[in-house]
Amino acid sequence: MRQSPSFTLANEDGVKRLVREHPWMTIVSMTDASGLVASHYPVLLDDTVDGIVLLTHVGRPDEIVHELGRHEVMVIAQGPHGYISPGWYDAKPAVPTWNFVSAHMYGTPELLSDSENLRVLEALVDHFEDAMPEPRRMRGTAANAEYADRIAAGTVGLRIPITRFVAKNKMSQNKPAETVERIIGELEGHGPYASAALAAEMRRTHDEMRAATA
């Protein structure tokens, strides 16, 4: 991912926030057998340890296809993103762009034991079901627990300690304040490129910038 000083996201806490808020990620491997391989899975942070450590699972035989544990993988997190029209700027010549936040995280996966995998699967279910009015737990009933144990046999749990990352938060930081407000207004509107999530991310980014210089 090409970097520029204006948009670099070098803060570990910022990357962790991205993972927490946007847990559907892409795992990319360069394998000996098949070359580049990519899969998509939900990911959680292991908050019991320092640094960035990801917890997830793959469905069999992805652990073989990716040759997991044999080499480094790249995990891609993607936050809000969207088209920014030059018509939202001033009258000066301009071209369109795309605002986004993303992170490329690198680490070698550790394959988990069956019991550890079950704990990760249960944590994943709880994480997403917590938002439901009537959460369905993986072990909410004896029948459901039996079914979950049977299904879990088709998965492999992973812990991925992240050793390095490259992240970018491009939210019109190079534009004057009045232009930023105009862009946010368009994103909060009802046009073809409206995006409330991207507008909120832009506001958060620029609020942090103002607070840092206050």
Side-chain angles (χ1 to χ4, degrees), residues 49-96:
V49 297
D50 294 332
I52 301 174
V53 178
L54 307 179
L55 298 172
T56 187
H57 72 287
V58 298
R60 298 182 187 275
D62 266 5
E63 83 283 9
I64 297 172
V65 173
H66 279 266
E67 301 171 359
L68 294 175
R70 290 172 49 185
H71 52 69
E72 188 178 63
V73 301
M74 176 171 66
V75 184
I76 302 173
Q78 179 73 61
H81 61 91
Y83 179 78
I84 306 299
S85 170
W88 299 348
Y89 299 161
D90 52 29
K92 297 176 183 176
V95 295

Side-chain angles (χ1 to χ4, degrees), residues 12-180:
E12 185 179 285
D13 288 339
V15 174
K16 285 184 173 182
R17 185 185 68 84
L18 178 62
V19 172
R20 289 190 184 97
E21 296 181 3
H22 305 279
W24 182 248
M25 300 188 192
T26 303
I27 301 173
V28 182
S29 299
M30 174 57 80
T31 66
D32 294 332
S34 304
L36 279 173
V37 177
S39 296
H40 311 272
Y41 289 97
V43 169
L44 295 179
L45 282 171
D46 186 349
D47 287 321
T48 66
V49 297
D50 294 332
I52 301 174
V53 178
L54 307 179
L55 298 172
T56 187
H57 72 287
V58 298
R60 298 182 187 275
D62 266 5
E63 83 283 9
I64 297 172
V65 173
H66 279 266
E67 301 171 359
L68 294 175
R70 290 172 49 185
H71 52 69
E72 188 178 63
V73 301
M74 176 171 66
V75 184
I76 302 173
Q78 179 73 61
H81 61 91
Y83 179 78
I84 306 299
S85 170
W88 299 348
Y89 299 161
D90 52 29
K92 297 176 183 176
V95 295
T97 191
W98 204 274
N99 278 2
F100 65 93
V101 55
S102 64
H104 296 177
M105 297 169 282
Y106 301 85
T108 301
E110 303 167 358
L111 277 64
L112 302 180
S113 67
D114 290 345
S115 59
E116 289 175 312
N117 181 36
L118 281 172
R119 285 196 291 271
V120 169
L121 290 172
E122 190 168 6
L124 279 162
V125 171
D126 286 346
H127 176 76
F128 294 106
E129 281 294 315
D130 281 347
M132 300 296 291
E134 297 182 9
R136 288 281 297 269
R137 305 301 181 186
M138 199 171 89
R139 300 191 176 282
T141 66
N144 213 66
E146 181 182 355
Y147 177 77
D149 287 346
R150 189 165 66 251
I151 293 297
T155 69
V156 175
L158 301 177
R159 178 186 294 109
I160 310 176
I162 300 303
T163 56
R164 59 192 175 94
F165 65 82
V166 178
K168 193 170 183 178
N169 181 37
K170 182 177 177 295
M171 293 290 156
S172 301
Q173 294 97 317
N174 58 338
K175 299 297 181 184
E178 60 271 18
T179 301
V180 170

